[in-house]
Amino acid sequence: MGMAVDGLISGLDTTSLINQLMQAEAIPQTLLKNKVTDSTTYITALQSLNSKVAALADSAGKLAKPAGVDLHTASSSSTSVTATAGPGATDGTIDFTVDKVAQSQVTVTGPLTQWPDQPPVLTFVGSDGKVTQVTATSSSLADVAAAINKAGVGVSATRVSAGLDPSGQPLYRLQLSSTKTGATGSFTAYRGTPADVTAGTATNLLTEPGAAQVRAAQDAQLTLWAGTGAAQVVTSSTNSFTDVLPGVSVSVTTASTTPVTLTIARDDASITNVASSLVGSINDILSFISQQQAVTTSTNSTGGTVVTAGTFAGDLTVRDADQKLTAAAQAPIDGISPSTYGIVVASDGSISLDKDVFAAAMAKDPDKTKAAVQAVAARVADAAGLISDKHDGTVTTKITGEQKTVKGLSDQVADWDVRLADRRSTLEKTYANLEVQLQQLQSQSSWLTGQLASLSTSSS
């Protein structure tokens, strides 16, 4: 508790005195706080490094897999046909015609003011023979549509306005549509129960006045090598085909008898990009380490030179990480230098991909060049994993250790807060007691002076 007023008796600036004493007392705590600040900065830098390396481990691991550089482009001679080439695709061309596109079944009832049965009971029979009964809560066509939609029979129902009957009552049709395309989406709808359907007494909705099938369910169909003895039909319940060519997905939008040519080719541009991305990620990490290791100089207020070591300067863990990644990128591949494939190391240690050299290597031996990229990626993934593994990576472990150190230092700082508070309280009490004692001495002095004065008067 601080004193309300500085030394009234002594005239001392006790607050300033105590503050100066406390500054001296707090030097050990200040040193601890500086260590916490430095360690926190170090941990932040390590975490940033670890995040970069972990991301590299993930991307390099994917690139090292067979599909990593198995990249192709797919092009079509028709705007109504699109294709995507994925892993497993092979270069080549193929011709086919789009005979049919996939479509859902659409059926409409005749015009009705309300459903003719009460309660409305319908039975749906799917293409697989599955029989489902639907019962509506009333003869309202809106309730019938709602019951069909809720039943999950693979059919959606919509009430559509159809004018007025002779008495002026509104008429509606129910449009029944299969929820999926293809022949498997076909259905038959009946008025009546499943037992009525079995007995042959149920009414097929299509046989009622004004009813019609707007569109029949059908599969999409391609014909390979149309017009030849090798003609082959391929069907799909959707407008997408995944079994025309290995690793190639084909989508169609319009039927046409005009042959479509599909061309699959190696995607050199994408392969170059993934190789460049790998090398760029490695270089980004090495540059980050170099920046954090750099020693800087500055001038202080008196004109002197101040030399400041980088956060990672002299750090053996970080140096080891740098060496592992550099070796993974620079080591020969089956006795061949990575520079043969365009992976170039500059005099300052930076790494880059010479795209012209890489393109020449791809043109000369694409399989060997792709294998070289995957070999480097595999080595980098392994090295990055050893560094950044979330359980026992070298940098991860270092971060964990430093965090424990910071916690210990922070606990010591907190202990010092208590210790310094006690010390300040002691000093305040000491100076307060000093004032009391000085006051007592001053009172005694005044009394003695008075006594002496009275003695002198008596003597005279």
Side-chain angles (χ1 to χ4, degrees):
M1 179 177 178
M3 293 184 296
V5 181
D6 282 336
L8 293 175
I9 306 302
S10 66
L12 295 174
D13 185 355
T14 53
T15 298
S16 295
L17 286 173
I18 292 173
N19 287 339
Q20 291 173 15
L21 290 170
M22 290 306 301
Q23 287 178 0
E25 294 277 355
I27 289 175
Q29 186 192 46
T30 301
L31 294 175
L32 287 173
K33 287 181 177 179
N34 291 339
K35 288 182 179 179
V36 169
T37 300
D38 292 342
S39 294
T40 300
T41 300
Y42 177 52
I43 289 171
T44 300
L46 282 177
Q47 289 172 330
S48 180
L49 172 62
N50 217 31
S51 295
K52 291 175 180 290
V53 177
L56 175 62
D58 181 64
S59 60
K62 292 177 180 177
L63 182 57
K65 294 178 179 179
V69 291
D70 189 15
L71 305 176
H72 300 266
T73 59
S75 59
S76 165
S77 63
S78 171
T79 56
S80 63
V81 176
T82 57
T84 303
T90 56
D91 298 346
T93 61
I94 192 170
D95 294 332
F96 57 82
T97 58
V98 182
D99 307 321
K100 296 186 292 184
V101 294
Q103 60 187 30
S104 59
Q105 177 180 326
V106 178
T107 298
V108 295
T109 67
L112 301 168
T113 56
Q114 62 179 11
W115 198 257
D117 306 318
Q118 180 60 34
V121 178
L122 296 87
T123 298
F124 290 85
V125 180
S127 62
D128 58 355
K130 181 180 179 181
V131 178
T132 307
Q133 177 179 317
V134 177
T135 303
T137 57
S138 78
S139 59
S140 162
L141 291 181
D143 287 343
V144 174
I148 294 171
N149 290 331
K150 187 178 180 181
V153 295
V155 176
S156 64
T158 305
R159 189 181 68 159
V160 182
S161 179
L164 302 173
D165 70 2
S167 66
Q169 293 295 315
L171 293 169
Y172 299 95
R173 294 175 184 267
L174 278 188
Q175 176 177 291
L176 305 175
S177 307
S178 56
T179 56
K180 59 183 180 180
T181 59
T184 57
S186 65
F187 64 91
T188 306
Y190 297 90
R191 283 175 51 202
T193 65
D196 295 332
V197 174
T198 302
T201 57
T203 302
N204 187 325
L205 292 185
L206 278 176
T207 64
E208 297 197 319
Q213 180 161 292
V214 179
R215 187 171 66 215
Q218 71 177 25
D219 289 336
Q221 178 178 302
L222 307 180
T223 299
L224 309 180
W225 312 294
T228 72
Q232 178 180 324
V233 173
V234 182
T235 61
S236 172
S237 61
T238 68
N239 287 320
S240 295
F241 296 80
T242 58
D243 52 1
V244 176
L245 291 173
V248 179
S249 176
V250 179
S251 296
V252 300
T253 57
T254 306
S256 174
T257 57
T258 303
V260 176
T261 299
L262 185 65
T263 302
I264 310 301
R266 189 181 66 243
D267 190 353
D268 286 358
S270 293
I271 295 171
T272 301
N273 287 339
V274 296
S276 179
S277 178
L278 171 68
V279 175
S281 295
I282 299 170
N283 189 63
D284 176 60
I285 293 171
L286 298 182
S287 296
F288 177 76
I289 292 174
S290 178
Q291 291 168 4
Q292 295 294 324
Q293 289 176 329
V295 176
T296 59
T297 58
S298 59
T299 304
N300 59 22
S301 58
T302 61
T305 300
V306 178
V307 179
T308 304
T311 305
F312 291 158
D315 190 291
L316 296 180
T317 300
V318 174
R319 183 183 301 173
D320 178 69
D322 184 292
Q323 291 173 346
K324 280 185 169 66
L325 292 176
T326 301
Q330 294 181 0
I333 306 157
D334 294 330
I336 299 175
S337 170
S339 61
T340 304
Y341 306 103
I343 301 176
V344 181
V345 180
S347 57
D348 61 357
S350 62
I351 300 176
S352 62
L353 181 73
D354 188 322
K355 294 185 177 181
D356 291 334
V357 174
F358 187 79
M362 283 291 293
K364 181 179 180 180
D365 193 336
D367 291 338
K368 191 172 184 180
T369 303
K370 291 192 294 182
V373 172
Q374 288 185 298
V376 172
R379 294 190 315 213
V380 169
D382 289 342
L386 292 173
I387 296 166
S388 65
D389 182 85
K390 62 181 180 180
H391 298 296
D392 56 6
T394 55
V395 172
T396 304
T397 303
K398 185 70 172 179
I399 291 171
T400 302
E402 287 297 318
Q403 288 173 332
K404 290 180 180 178
T405 299
V406 167
K407 184 180 184 306
L409 291 172
S410 298
D411 290 343
Q412 291 182 52
V413 169
D415 290 341
W416 267 98
D417 285 336
V418 176
R419 190 181 307 173
L420 292 172
D422 290 343
R423 179 57 177 160
R424 177 178 285 275
S425 177
T426 299
L427 288 172
E428 289 174 346
K429 289 178 181 178
T430 299
Y431 279 97
N433 290 333
L434 174 63
E435 295 296 325
V436 171
Q437 292 174 9
L438 285 173
Q439 184 180 29
Q440 291 174 347
L441 290 173
Q442 191 177 64
S443 298
Q444 290 175 358
S445 174
S446 297
W447 182 83
L448 289 172
T449 301
Q451 291 298 314
L452 292 171
S454 62
L455 289 173
S456 300
T457 304
S458 300
S459 298
S460 62

CSV table of all heavy atoms in Angstrom, one decimal, residues 32-88:
chain,number,residue,atom,x,y,z
A,32,LEU,N,14.5,-11.7,-17.0
A,32,LEU,CA,13.7,-12.8,-17.3
A,32,LEU,C,12.6,-12.4,-18.4
A,32,LEU,O,12.4,-13.2,-19.3
A,32,LEU,CB,12.9,-13.3,-16.0
A,32,LEU,CG,13.8,-14.0,-15.0
A,32,LEU,CD1,13.0,-14.3,-13.7
A,32,LEU,CD2,14.3,-15.4,-15.5
A,33,LYS,N,12.1,-11.2,-18.2
A,33,LYS,CA,11.1,-10.8,-19.2
A,33,LYS,C,11.7,-10.7,-20.6
A,33,LYS,O,11.1,-11.0,-21.6
A,33,LYS,CB,10.5,-9.4,-18.8
A,33,LYS,CG,9.5,-9.5,-17.6
A,33,LYS,CD,9.0,-8.1,-17.3
A,33,LYS,CE,8.0,-8.2,-16.1
A,33,LYS,NZ,7.4,-6.8,-15.8
A,34,ASN,N,13.0,-10.2,-20.7
A,34,ASN,CA,13.6,-10.1,-21.9
A,34,ASN,C,13.9,-11.5,-22.6
A,34,ASN,O,13.7,-11.6,-23.8
A,34,ASN,CB,15.0,-9.4,-21.8
A,34,ASN,CG,14.8,-7.9,-21.4
A,34,ASN,OD1,13.8,-7.3,-21.7
A,34,ASN,ND2,15.8,-7.3,-20.8
A,35,LYS,N,14.2,-12.4,-21.7
A,35,LYS,CA,14.3,-13.8,-22.2
A,35,LYS,C,13.0,-14.3,-22.7
A,35,LYS,O,13.0,-15.0,-23.8
A,35,LYS,CB,14.8,-14.7,-21.1
A,35,LYS,CG,16.3,-14.5,-20.7
A,35,LYS,CD,16.7,-15.5,-19.6
A,35,LYS,CE,18.2,-15.3,-19.2
A,35,LYS,NZ,18.6,-16.2,-18.1
A,36,VAL,N,11.9,-14.0,-22.1
A,36,VAL,CA,10.6,-14.5,-22.5
A,36,VAL,C,10.3,-13.9,-23.9
A,36,VAL,O,9.8,-14.6,-24.8
A,36,VAL,CB,9.5,-14.1,-21.5
A,36,VAL,CG1,8.1,-14.3,-22.1
A,36,VAL,CG2,9.6,-14.9,-20.2
A,37,THR,N,10.6,-12.6,-24.0
A,37,THR,CA,10.3,-11.9,-25.3
A,37,THR,C,11.2,-12.5,-26.4
A,37,THR,O,10.6,-12.8,-27.5
A,37,THR,CB,10.6,-10.4,-25.2
A,37,THR,OG1,9.8,-9.8,-24.2
A,37,THR,CG2,10.4,-9.7,-26.5
A,38,ASP,N,12.4,-12.7,-26.2
A,38,ASP,CA,13.3,-13.3,-27.2
A,38,ASP,C,12.9,-14.7,-27.5
A,38,ASP,O,12.9,-15.1,-28.7
A,38,ASP,CB,14.8,-13.3,-26.7
A,38,ASP,CG,15.4,-11.9,-26.5
A,38,ASP,OD1,14.8,-11.0,-27.1
A,38,ASP,OD2,16.4,-11.8,-25.8
A,39,SER,N,12.5,-15.5,-26.5
A,39,SER,CA,12.1,-16.9,-26.8
A,39,SER,C,10.8,-16.9,-27.5
A,39,SER,O,10.6,-17.8,-28.4
A,39,SER,CB,12.0,-17.7,-25.5
A,39,SER,OG,13.2,-17.8,-24.8
A,40,THR,N,9.9,-16.0,-27.2
A,40,THR,CA,8.6,-16.0,-27.9
A,40,THR,C,8.8,-15.6,-29.4
A,40,THR,O,8.2,-16.2,-30.3
A,40,THR,CB,7.7,-14.9,-27.3
A,40,THR,OG1,7.5,-15.3,-25.9
A,40,THR,CG2,6.3,-14.9,-28.0
A,41,THR,N,9.7,-14.7,-29.7
A,41,THR,CA,10.0,-14.3,-31.1
A,41,THR,C,10.6,-15.5,-31.8
A,41,THR,O,10.3,-15.8,-32.9
A,41,THR,CB,11.0,-13.2,-31.1
A,41,THR,OG1,10.4,-12.0,-30.4
A,41,THR,CG2,11.4,-12.8,-32.5
A,42,TYR,N,11.5,-16.2,-31.1
A,42,TYR,CA,12.1,-17.4,-31.7
A,42,TYR,C,11.1,-18.5,-32.0
A,42,TYR,O,11.1,-19.1,-33.0
A,42,TYR,CB,13.2,-17.9,-30.7
A,42,TYR,CG,13.9,-19.2,-31.1
A,42,TYR,CD1,14.5,-19.4,-32.3
A,42,TYR,CD2,13.9,-20.3,-30.2
A,42,TYR,CE1,15.1,-20.5,-32.7
A,42,TYR,CE2,14.6,-21.5,-30.5
A,42,TYR,CZ,15.2,-21.6,-31.8
A,42,TYR,OH,15.8,-22.7,-32.1
A,43,ILE,N,10.2,-18.7,-31.0
A,43,ILE,CA,9.1,-19.7,-31.2
A,43,ILE,C,8.2,-19.4,-32.4
A,43,ILE,O,7.9,-20.2,-33.2
A,43,ILE,CB,8.3,-19.9,-29.9
A,43,ILE,CG1,9.1,-20.6,-28.8
A,43,ILE,CG2,7.0,-20.7,-30.2
A,43,ILE,CD1,8.4,-20.6,-27.5
A,44,THR,N,7.9,-18.1,-32.5
A,44,THR,CA,7.0,-17.7,-33.6
A,44,THR,C,7.7,-18.0,-35.0
A,44,THR,O,7.1,-18.4,-35.9
A,44,THR,CB,6.7,-16.2,-33.5
A,44,THR,OG1,6.0,-15.9,-32.3
A,44,THR,CG2,5.9,-15.7,-34.7
A,45,ALA,N,9.0,-17.7,-35.0
A,45,ALA,CA,9.8,-17.9,-36.3
A,45,ALA,C,9.8,-19.4,-36.6
A,45,ALA,O,9.7,-19.9,-37.7
A,45,ALA,CB,11.2,-17.3,-36.2
A,46,LEU,N,10.1,-20.2,-35.5
A,46,LEU,CA,10.1,-21.7,-35.7
A,46,LEU,C,8.7,-22.2,-36.2
A,46,LEU,O,8.7,-23.1,-37.0
A,46,LEU,CB,10.5,-22.4,-34.4
A,46,LEU,CG,11.9,-22.4,-34.0
A,46,LEU,CD1,12.1,-23.0,-32.6
A,46,LEU,CD2,12.8,-23.1,-35.0
A,47,GLN,N,7.7,-21.7,-35.6
A,47,GLN,CA,6.3,-22.1,-36.0
A,47,GLN,C,6.0,-21.8,-37.5
A,47,GLN,O,5.4,-22.6,-38.2
A,47,GLN,CB,5.3,-21.5,-35.1
A,47,GLN,CG,5.3,-22.1,-33.7
A,47,GLN,CD,4.4,-21.4,-32.7
A,47,GLN,OE1,4.1,-20.2,-32.9
A,47,GLN,NE2,3.8,-22.1,-31.8
A,48,SER,N,6.5,-20.6,-37.9
A,48,SER,CA,6.3,-20.2,-39.3
A,48,SER,C,7.1,-21.2,-40.2
A,48,SER,O,6.6,-21.6,-41.2
A,48,SER,CB,6.8,-18.8,-39.5
A,48,SER,OG,6.6,-18.4,-40.8
A,49,LEU,N,8.3,-21.5,-39.8
A,49,LEU,CA,9.2,-22.4,-40.6
A,49,LEU,C,8.5,-23.8,-40.6
A,49,LEU,O,8.4,-24.4,-41.7
A,49,LEU,CB,10.5,-22.5,-40.0
A,49,LEU,CG,11.5,-23.6,-40.5
A,49,LEU,CD1,11.8,-23.3,-42.0
A,49,LEU,CD2,12.8,-23.7,-39.7
A,50,ASN,N,8.0,-24.2,-39.5
A,50,ASN,CA,7.4,-25.6,-39.4
A,50,ASN,C,6.2,-25.7,-40.3
A,50,ASN,O,5.9,-26.7,-40.9
A,50,ASN,CB,7.1,-25.9,-38.0
A,50,ASN,CG,7.3,-27.4,-37.7
A,50,ASN,OD1,8.2,-28.0,-38.2
A,50,ASN,ND2,6.5,-27.9,-36.8
A,51,SER,N,5.4,-24.6,-40.3
A,51,SER,CA,4.2,-24.6,-41.2
A,51,SER,C,4.5,-24.7,-42.6
A,51,SER,O,3.9,-25.4,-43.4
A,51,SER,CB,3.4,-23.3,-40.9
A,51,SER,OG,2.9,-23.3,-39.6
A,52,LYS,N,5.6,-24.0,-43.0
A,52,LYS,CA,6.0,-24.0,-44.4
A,52,LYS,C,6.5,-25.4,-44.8
A,52,LYS,O,6.2,-25.9,-45.9
A,52,LYS,CB,7.1,-23.0,-44.7
A,52,LYS,CG,6.7,-21.5,-44.6
A,52,LYS,CD,7.9,-20.6,-44.7
A,52,LYS,CE,7.5,-19.1,-44.7
A,52,LYS,NZ,6.8,-18.7,-45.9
A,53,VAL,N,7.3,-26.0,-43.9
A,53,VAL,CA,7.9,-27.3,-44.2
A,53,VAL,C,6.8,-28.4,-44.2
A,53,VAL,O,6.8,-29.3,-45.0
A,53,VAL,CB,8.9,-27.7,-43.2
A,53,VAL,CG1,9.5,-29.1,-43.4
A,53,VAL,CG2,10.1,-26.7,-43.2
A,54,ALA,N,5.8,-28.3,-43.3
A,54,ALA,CA,4.7,-29.2,-43.3
A,54,ALA,C,3.9,-29.1,-44.6
A,54,ALA,O,3.4,-30.2,-45.1
A,54,ALA,CB,3.8,-28.9,-42.1
A,55,ALA,N,3.6,-27.9,-45.0
A,55,ALA,CA,2.9,-27.8,-46.3
A,55,ALA,C,3.7,-28.4,-47.5
A,55,ALA,O,3.1,-29.0,-48.4
A,55,ALA,CB,2.6,-26.3,-46.6
A,56,LEU,N,5.0,-28.2,-47.4
A,56,LEU,CA,5.9,-28.8,-48.5
A,56,LEU,C,5.8,-30.3,-48.4
A,56,LEU,O,5.8,-31.0,-49.4
A,56,LEU,CB,7.3,-28.3,-48.3
A,56,LEU,CG,8.4,-28.9,-49.2
A,56,LEU,CD1,8.0,-28.6,-50.7
A,56,LEU,CD2,9.8,-28.4,-48.8
A,57,ALA,N,5.8,-30.9,-47.2
A,57,ALA,CA,5.8,-32.3,-47.0
A,57,ALA,C,4.5,-32.9,-47.7
A,57,ALA,O,4.5,-33.9,-48.3
A,57,ALA,CB,5.8,-32.7,-45.6
A,58,ASP,N,3.4,-32.2,-47.5
A,58,ASP,CA,2.1,-32.6,-48.0
A,58,ASP,C,2.1,-32.5,-49.5
A,58,ASP,O,1.7,-33.5,-50.2
A,58,ASP,CB,1.0,-31.7,-47.4
A,58,ASP,CG,-0.4,-32.1,-47.9
A,58,ASP,OD1,-0.8,-33.3,-47.6
A,58,ASP,OD2,-1.0,-31.3,-48.6
A,59,SER,N,2.5,-31.4,-50.1
A,59,SER,CA,2.4,-31.2,-51.5
A,59,SER,C,3.4,-32.1,-52.2
A,59,SER,O,3.2,-32.7,-53.3
A,59,SER,CB,2.7,-29.7,-51.9
A,59,SER,OG,4.0,-29.3,-51.4
A,60,ALA,N,4.6,-32.2,-51.7
A,60,ALA,CA,5.7,-33.1,-52.3
A,60,ALA,C,5.2,-34.6,-52.2
A,60,ALA,O,5.5,-35.3,-53.1
A,60,ALA,CB,7.0,-32.9,-51.6
A,61,GLY,N,4.6,-34.9,-51.1
A,61,GLY,CA,4.1,-36.3,-51.0
A,61,GLY,C,3.1,-36.6,-52.1
A,61,GLY,O,3.1,-37.7,-52.6
A,62,LYS,N,2.2,-35.7,-52.4
A,62,LYS,CA,1.2,-35.9,-53.4
A,62,LYS,C,1.9,-36.0,-54.8
A,62,LYS,O,1.5,-36.8,-55.6
A,62,LYS,CB,0.2,-34.8,-53.4
A,62,LYS,CG,-0.7,-34.8,-52.2
A,62,LYS,CD,-1.7,-33.6,-52.2
A,62,LYS,CE,-2.6,-33.6,-50.9
A,62,LYS,NZ,-3.5,-32.4,-50.9
A,63,LEU,N,2.9,-35.1,-55.0
A,63,LEU,CA,3.5,-35.1,-56.3
A,63,LEU,C,4.3,-36.4,-56.5
A,63,LEU,O,4.5,-36.9,-57.6
A,63,LEU,CB,4.5,-33.9,-56.4
A,63,LEU,CG,5.2,-33.7,-57.7
A,63,LEU,CD1,4.3,-33.6,-58.9
A,63,LEU,CD2,6.1,-32.4,-57.6
A,64,ALA,N,4.8,-37.0,-55.4
A,64,ALA,CA,5.6,-38.2,-55.5
A,64,ALA,C,4.8,-39.4,-55.9
A,64,ALA,O,5.4,-40.4,-56.3
A,64,ALA,CB,6.3,-38.5,-54.2
A,65,LYS,N,3.5,-39.4,-55.7
A,65,LYS,CA,2.6,-40.5,-56.1
A,65,LYS,C,2.5,-40.6,-57.6
A,65,LYS,O,2.7,-39.7,-58.3
A,65,LYS,CB,1.3,-40.3,-55.5
A,65,LYS,CG,1.3,-40.4,-53.9
A,65,LYS,CD,-0.1,-40.2,-53.3
A,65,LYS,CE,-0.1,-40.3,-51.8
A,65,LYS,NZ,-1.4,-40.0,-51.2
A,66,PRO,N,2.1,-41.8,-58.1
A,66,PRO,CA,2.1,-42.0,-59.5
A,66,PRO,C,1.2,-41.0,-60.3
A,66,PRO,O,1.5,-40.6,-61.4
A,66,PRO,CB,1.5,-43.4,-59.6
A,66,PRO,CG,1.9,-44.1,-58.4
A,66,PRO,CD,1.9,-43.1,-57.3
A,67,ALA,N,0.1,-40.6,-59.6
A,67,ALA,CA,-0.8,-39.6,-60.3
A,67,ALA,C,-0.2,-38.2,-60.3
A,67,ALA,O,-0.8,-37.3,-60.9
A,67,ALA,CB,-2.1,-39.6,-59.6
A,68,GLY,N,0.9,-37.9,-59.5
A,68,GLY,CA,1.4,-36.6,-59.3
A,68,GLY,C,1.8,-35.9,-60.6
A,68,GLY,O,1.5,-34.7,-60.8
A,69,VAL,N,2.4,-36.6,-61.5
A,69,VAL,CA,2.8,-36.0,-62.8
A,69,VAL,C,2.1,-36.7,-64.0
A,69,VAL,O,2.5,-36.5,-65.1
A,69,VAL,CB,4.3,-36.1,-63.0
A,69,VAL,CG1,5.1,-35.2,-62.0
A,69,VAL,CG2,4.8,-37.6,-62.9
A,70,ASP,N,1.1,-37.6,-63.7
A,70,ASP,CA,0.3,-38.2,-64.7
A,70,ASP,C,-0.8,-37.3,-65.2
A,70,ASP,O,-1.9,-37.5,-64.9
A,70,ASP,CB,-0.2,-39.5,-64.2
A,70,ASP,CG,-0.9,-40.4,-65.3
A,70,ASP,OD1,-0.6,-40.1,-66.5
A,70,ASP,OD2,-1.6,-41.3,-65.0
A,71,LEU,N,-0.4,-36.2,-65.8
A,71,LEU,CA,-1.3,-35.1,-66.2
A,71,LEU,C,-1.5,-35.1,-67.7
A,71,LEU,O,-0.5,-35.1,-68.5
A,71,LEU,CB,-0.7,-33.8,-65.7
A,71,LEU,CG,-0.4,-33.7,-64.2
A,71,LEU,CD1,0.3,-32.4,-63.8
A,71,LEU,CD2,-1.6,-34.0,-63.3
A,72,HIS,N,-2.8,-34.9,-68.1
A,72,HIS,CA,-3.1,-34.9,-69.5
A,72,HIS,C,-4.2,-33.9,-69.7
A,72,HIS,O,-4.9,-33.5,-68.8
A,72,HIS,CB,-3.7,-36.3,-69.9
A,72,HIS,CG,-2.7,-37.4,-69.7
A,72,HIS,ND1,-1.9,-37.9,-70.7
A,72,HIS,CD2,-2.4,-38.2,-68.6
A,72,HIS,CE1,-1.1,-38.9,-70.3
A,72,HIS,NE2,-1.5,-39.1,-69.0
A,73,THR,N,-4.3,-33.5,-71.0
A,73,THR,CA,-5.4,-32.6,-71.4
A,73,THR,C,-6.3,-33.4,-72.3
A,73,THR,O,-5.9,-34.4,-73.0
A,73,THR,CB,-4.9,-31.4,-72.2
A,73,THR,OG1,-4.2,-31.9,-73.4
A,73,THR,CG2,-4.0,-30.5,-71.4
A,74,ALA,N,-7.6,-33.0,-72.2
A,74,ALA,CA,-8.6,-33.7,-73.1
A,74,ALA,C,-9.3,-32.6,-73.9
A,74,ALA,O,-9.8,-31.6,-73.3
A,74,ALA,CB,-9.6,-34.5,-72.2
A,75,SER,N,-9.4,-32.8,-75.2
A,75,SER,CA,-10.1,-31.8,-76.0
A,75,SER,C,-11.1,-32.5,-76.9
A,75,SER,O,-10.9,-33.7,-77.3
A,75,SER,CB,-9.1,-31.0,-76.9
A,75,SER,OG,-8.3,-31.9,-77.7
A,76,SER,N,-12.1,-31.8,-77.3
A,76,SER,CA,-13.2,-32.4,-78.1
A,76,SER,C,-13.4,-31.5,-79.3
A,76,SER,O,-13.3,-30.3,-79.3
A,76,SER,CB,-14.5,-32.4,-77.3
A,76,SER,OG,-15.6,-32.6,-78.1
A,77,SER,N,-13.8,-32.2,-80.4
A,77,SER,CA,-14.1,-31.4,-81.7
A,77,SER,C,-15.5,-30.8,-81.7
A,77,SER,O,-15.8,-30.1,-82.6
A,77,SER,CB,-13.9,-32.4,-82.9
A,77,SER,OG,-14.9,-33.4,-82.8
A,78,SER,N,-16.3,-31.1,-80.6
A,78,SER,CA,-17.6,-30.6,-80.5
A,78,SER,C,-17.8,-29.8,-79.2
A,78,SER,O,-17.4,-30.2,-78.2
A,78,SER,CB,-18.7,-31.7,-80.6
A,78,SER,OG,-20.0,-31.3,-80.3
A,79,THR,N,-18.5,-28.7,-79.3
A,79,THR,CA,-18.8,-27.9,-78.1
A,79,THR,C,-19.8,-28.5,-77.2
A,79,THR,O,-20.0,-28.1,-76.1
A,79,THR,CB,-19.3,-26.5,-78.6
A,79,THR,OG1,-20.5,-26.6,-79.4
A,79,THR,CG2,-18.3,-25.7,-79.3
A,80,SER,N,-20.5,-29.5,-77.7
A,80,SER,CA,-21.5,-30.2,-76.9
A,80,SER,C,-20.9,-31.4,-76.1
A,80,SER,O,-21.6,-32.1,-75.4
A,80,SER,CB,-22.7,-30.7,-77.8
A,80,SER,OG,-22.3,-31.7,-78.7
A,81,VAL,N,-19.6,-31.6,-76.3
A,81,VAL,CA,-18.9,-32.7,-75.6
A,81,VAL,C,-17.7,-32.1,-74.9
A,81,VAL,O,-16.9,-31.5,-75.5
A,81,VAL,CB,-18.5,-33.8,-76.6
A,81,VAL,CG1,-17.7,-34.9,-75.8
A,81,VAL,CG2,-19.7,-34.4,-77.3
A,82,THR,N,-17.6,-32.3,-73.6
A,82,THR,CA,-16.5,-31.9,-72.8
A,82,THR,C,-15.9,-33.1,-72.2
A,82,THR,O,-16.6,-34.1,-71.9
A,82,THR,CB,-16.9,-30.9,-71.8
A,82,THR,OG1,-17.8,-31.4,-70.9
A,82,THR,CG2,-17.4,-29.6,-72.4
A,83,ALA,N,-14.6,-33.1,-71.9
A,83,ALA,CA,-13.9,-34.2,-71.3
A,83,ALA,C,-12.8,-33.7,-70.4
A,83,ALA,O,-12.3,-32.6,-70.5
A,83,ALA,CB,-13.3,-35.1,-72.4
A,84,THR,N,-12.6,-34.5,-69.4
A,84,THR,CA,-11.5,-34.3,-68.4
A,84,THR,C,-10.6,-35.5,-68.2
A,84,THR,O,-11.2,-36.6,-68.0
A,84,THR,CB,-12.1,-33.9,-67.0
A,84,THR,OG1,-13.0,-32.8,-67.2
A,84,THR,CG2,-11.0,-33.6,-66.0
A,85,ALA,N,-9.4,-35.3,-68.4
A,85,ALA,CA,-8.4,-36.4,-68.2
A,85,ALA,C,-7.8,-36.4,-66.8
A,85,ALA,O,-7.3,-35.4,-66.4
A,85,ALA,CB,-7.3,-36.3,-69.3
A,86,GLY,N,-7.9,-37.6,-66.1
A,86,GLY,CA,-7.3,-37.7,-64.8
A,86,GLY,C,-6.2,-38.7,-64.8
A,86,GLY,O,-5.7,-39.2,-65.8
A,87,PRO,N,-5.9,-39.2,-63.6
A,87,PRO,CA,-4.8,-40.3,-63.5
A,87,PRO,C,-5.2,-41.5,-64.3
A,87,PRO,O,-6.4,-41.9,-64.3
A,87,PRO,CB,-4.8,-40.5,-62.0
A,87,PRO,CG,-5.3,-39.3,-61.3
A,87,PRO,CD,-6.3,-38.7,-62.3
A,88,GLY,N,-4.3,-42.1,-64.9
A,88,GLY,CA,-4.5,-43.3,-65.7
A,88,GLY,C,-4.8,-43.1,-67.1
A,88,GLY,O,-4.9,-44.0,-67.9
